[in-house]
Amino acid sequence: PVPAPVPAPVPAPVPAPVPAPVPAPVPAPVPAPVPSPPSGATPCQVRNKIPVLKGPKKKKVKTAEACQGLCTKCMRWNHKNHKKASKRLCYLLSVSFAKKKGYTSGERVESCGTGPIAMGEGIQTNMQSILKTIQVIKKVKNANICSAKCSLSNDCHYYKWFAKKKTCYLMALAYKTKKGFSTA
């Protein structure tokens, strides 16, 4: 007899190679944009006015602590001590804008309309709160550039720009030594 033909071995199916998953492209980190100074008039900019630190004077306030207690809506206070209680004074101070022709002034853009700049916690003796010019910049073309310079300065709270002389004044709430006064 003739042997039966043996079927040829069928090779096992080879699975097709599966491509490895391609990770989605990750965008490079983008640095946070640096805010650019304002290019136009700012909402807190006023013409023909300059910033001043002033407020009502209260008489016969016996202690600096009592003066501090009266400062509920003010930005700063100054207490003037005197050996006679009847001559002791408490000044409740806020920044306002007084008329001054030829000037354009304003508050630092970042704090514009956010309320008063916080005062210190502790009472400082022989010191007085003031609004001080911290830098004078000449050849500033307009008030908007002056405002931008204030925004770029960490210490600037207010600015005033004098049109006639093209001069920008950067201002800040500060303290000065003054015997007989207390402040916070």
Side-chain angles (χ1 to χ4, degrees):
V2 179
V6 178
V10 177
V14 177
V18 178
V22 177
V26 177
V30 178
V34 174
S36 57
S39 56
T42 64
C44 289
Q45 197 173 84
V46 290
R47 288 179 167 264
N48 294 316
K49 293 189 176 192
I50 58 170
V52 292
L53 183 65
K54 67 179 188 174
K57 173 174 59 174
K58 302 283 184 187
K59 296 180 179 182
K60 299 179 184 178
V61 178
K62 293 182 179 179
T63 65
E65 291 80 3
C67 185
Q68 184 177 32
L70 292 173
C71 185
T72 56
K73 294 183 181 177
C74 60
M75 295 172 97
R76 296 280 193 277
W77 56 267
N78 287 328
H79 181 259
K80 184 179 180 186
N81 205 359
H82 195 278
K83 59 185 170 191
K84 290 184 181 179
S86 63
K87 291 194 174 187
R88 293 178 191 163
L89 300 172
C90 177
Y91 299 89
L92 304 173
L93 307 170
S94 292
V95 174
S96 58
F97 290 89
K99 288 184 181 182
K100 187 75 171 178
K101 194 172 181 180
Y103 282 85
T104 300
S105 305
E107 189 176 348
R108 178 186 178 98
V109 172
E110 293 77 6
S111 57
C112 176
T114 60
I117 298 161
M119 68 177 98
E121 292 294 320
I123 294 174
Q124 299 185 44
T125 55
N126 293 319
M127 298 292 274
Q128 183 179 30
S129 287
I130 59 168
L131 183 62
K132 170 182 168 179
T133 298
I134 56 171
Q135 188 177 2
V136 178
I137 308 166
K138 295 183 178 186
K139 297 181 182 176
V140 176
K141 289 183 181 179
N142 61 49
N144 299 334
I145 294 170
C146 185
S147 171
K149 290 190 180 295
C150 181
S151 289
L152 293 172
S153 167
N154 290 334
D155 298 326
C156 182
H157 299 142
Y158 298 90
Y159 66 90
K160 63 183 179 182
W161 178 74
F162 187 38
K164 189 174 183 179
K165 295 195 175 189
K166 305 278 188 240
T167 304
C168 176
Y169 302 86
L170 304 185
M171 306 174 82
L173 289 167
Y175 302 106
K176 77 172 187 177
T177 302
K178 183 85 170 184
K179 190 175 180 184
F181 275 79
S182 296
T183 192

